[in-house]
Amino acid sequence: FFLETGVFSVIALLIATLGDHAIAAHQIAFNIWDVFYIPMISVGSAMATRIGHAIGAKNVHGVRLAIWVGAGLSIFIGLTFMVLLTLLPNAIIGAYTQSPDITALALQLLRLASFFILIDVVQIVGSFVLRAYKETRFPFIVITLCYWGIALPLGFLLGIRFGDGSPSGTIGFWYAIIIGISLATALITWRVRGILKRLDYVSGATKP
């Protein structure tokens, strides 16, 4: 997860060049995402541990159960945050600032953050499933490609190079982040589906 935090730190530094309002609104949206991210990591770690135990015991049903329970809890957390961001955006932003300019930009970013969270749920679950199966190289390559190779350069182009230098360029960076994580989620999901297909094959092969 160093790759993710690293690229977000670089993006924050770039957004800071767009002005105080830009970085303030970005930090509000990012901090709210971070609040969501922490419990997701806890659920993912627990899920990976349960999957690992089931793999060691050669319990196919236990593996599948751990995946679905972990995915279910993760989706519940993600939907809860989405509902809160949709219904109470002004109240949430009001806890950070009373500036009309920052609030207006932060409201736009919160809408994007809610969509980002929905995608990130799938990506986090998939990453921890792969970790339980000791597949770390694939997500490392995917995150490096999608975040550092796509999201960061695209964010620079949308937010700074082709932008007007105003705080609204922050939105371009968030579009780029969403594009990057969407691609990463698709690739990781493809890899996890391969694992589930192997589980189905093993489960069918062991039936009398």
Side-chain angles (χ1 to χ4, degrees), residues 8-198:
F8 286 136
S9 297
V10 174
I11 287 175
L13 291 174
L14 292 174
I15 290 175
T17 65
L18 299 175
D20 294 340
H21 290 168
I23 189 60
H26 170 73
Q27 284 302 114
I28 290 173
F30 184 78
N31 182 253
I32 292 171
W33 169 80
D34 204 31
V35 171
F36 149 81
Y37 188 71
I38 292 173
M40 280 297 304
I41 291 297
S42 300
V43 172
S45 298
M47 180 188 66
T49 300
R50 296 297 300 176
I51 293 173
H53 289 167
I55 292 173
K58 297 182 179 180
N59 183 354
V60 175
H61 173 72
V63 171
R64 188 179 288 106
L65 179 62
I67 292 174
W68 287 116
V69 170
L73 287 174
S74 299
I75 292 172
F76 173 77
I77 293 172
L79 289 177
T80 299
F81 271 84
M82 284 187 64
V83 170
L84 290 175
L85 293 182
T86 301
L87 298 180
L88 304 171
N90 289 291
I92 294 173
I93 296 173
Y96 290 89
T97 182
Q98 299 300 320
S99 168
D101 293 332
I102 297 176
T103 298
L105 180 56
L107 281 171
Q108 297 181 67
L109 297 184
L110 278 191
R111 297 189 188 100
L112 295 176
S114 65
F115 186 61
F116 178 84
I117 285 173
L118 179 63
I119 302 172
D120 205 24
V121 166
V122 182
Q123 188 267 138
I124 292 174
V125 170
S127 295
F128 274 101
V129 171
L130 295 180
R131 178 177 296 187
Y133 276 88
K134 300 181 180 180
E135 289 199 32
T136 56
R137 180 178 301 177
F138 182 81
F140 173 83
I141 294 173
V142 167
I143 294 299
T144 301
L145 171 65
C146 295
Y147 282 17
W148 290 91
I150 296 178
L152 182 57
L154 183 59
F156 177 81
L157 291 175
L158 296 177
I160 296 180
R161 185 64 182 274
F162 299 142
D164 57 3
S166 69
S168 61
T170 310
I171 298 173
F173 276 99
W174 274 81
Y175 278 131
I177 293 172
I178 290 174
I179 291 172
I181 196 172
S182 296
L183 180 57
T185 300
L187 292 172
I188 289 175
T189 300
W190 169 77
R191 192 72 165 185
V192 171
R193 286 187 64 184
I195 291 176
L196 294 179
K197 286 182 179 179
R198 292 202 300 268

